Amino acid sequence: QVQLVESGGGTVQAGGSLRLSCAASGRTFSGYSVGWFRQAPGKEREHVATIKWSDNSIHYADSVKGRFTISRDNARKTVYLQMNGLKPEDTAIYYCAADRGLITSSVGRGEMYDHWGQGTQVTVSS
């Protein structure tokens, strides 16, 4: 079992940067792939990025590729999402999610993740 807590959200101007953290607690962090998802008001949840455990591969949504960077520090049991060049359309609640045994073809599907954090608000002003 793993529990996740997001932090680092806030309000920034367009073009600014934020770094989100997803801190894991529990007996172990090993074996979990971790993804970031976001949901804006009135819109469906969408995948942002995932870093897999099995091969440490990284997968980004096209909308954030080149601007966002996902990384993990296994010693600190934390996954980060560095967000640069933020745009107003990035405004959303950002959630981290974890799963064991996630396959590459499923990284963008939220229903494939068993563990979710409470979310952190990111607001980007024009």
Side-chain angles (χ1 to χ4, degrees), residues 70-85:
I70 189 171
S71 62
R72 67 190 295 163
D73 185 338
N74 291 331
R76 294 182 179 272
K77 298 183 179 181
T78 301
V79 172
Y80 303 98
L81 184 69
Q82 178 67 46
M83 305 186 295
N84 299 326

Side-chain angles (χ1 to χ4, degrees), residues 7 17 29 33 35 41 46 66 69-70 79 85 109-110:
S7 63
S17 298
F29 185 53
S33 296
E46 65 175 339
T69 302
I70 189 171
V79 172
R109 301 180 180 181

Side-chain angles (χ1 to χ4, degrees), residues 82-96:
Q82 178 67 46
M83 305 186 295
N84 299 326
L86 285 163
K87 305 174 181 179
E89 51 262 45
D90 295 319
T91 296
I93 299 176
Y94 283 70
Y95 301 89
C96 65

Side-chain angles (χ1 to χ4, degrees), residues 42-115:
K43 299 183 66 177
E44 295 183 351
R45 182 180 62 196
E46 65 175 339
H47 178 248
V48 176
T50 292
I51 184 165
K52 292 188 66 185
W53 170 258
S54 58
D55 58 1
N56 211 42
S57 62
I58 293 173
H59 310 266
Y60 294 105
D62 289 341
S63 60
V64 307
K65 192 175 182 64
R67 299 187 296 123
F68 291 10
T69 302
I70 189 171
S71 62
R72 67 190 295 163
D73 185 338
N74 291 331
R76 294 182 179 272
K77 298 183 179 181
T78 301
V79 172
Y80 303 98
L81 184 69
Q82 178 67 46
M83 305 186 295
N84 299 326
L86 285 163
K87 305 174 181 179
E89 51 262 45
D90 295 319
T91 296
I93 299 176
Y94 283 70
Y95 301 89
C96 65
D99 193 72
R100 300 170 75 175
L102 190 70
I103 61 175
T104 300
S105 61
S106 298
V107 296
R109 301 180 180 181
E111 65 270 22
M112 297 297 182
Y113 295 75
D114 288 335
H115 308 280

Side-chain angles (χ1 to χ4, degrees), residues 8-29:
T11 301
V12 298
Q13 291 185 307
S17 298
L18 284 173
R19 188 179 75 160
L20 305 184
S21 297
C22 175
S25 62
R27 294 185 65 253
T28 183
F29 185 53

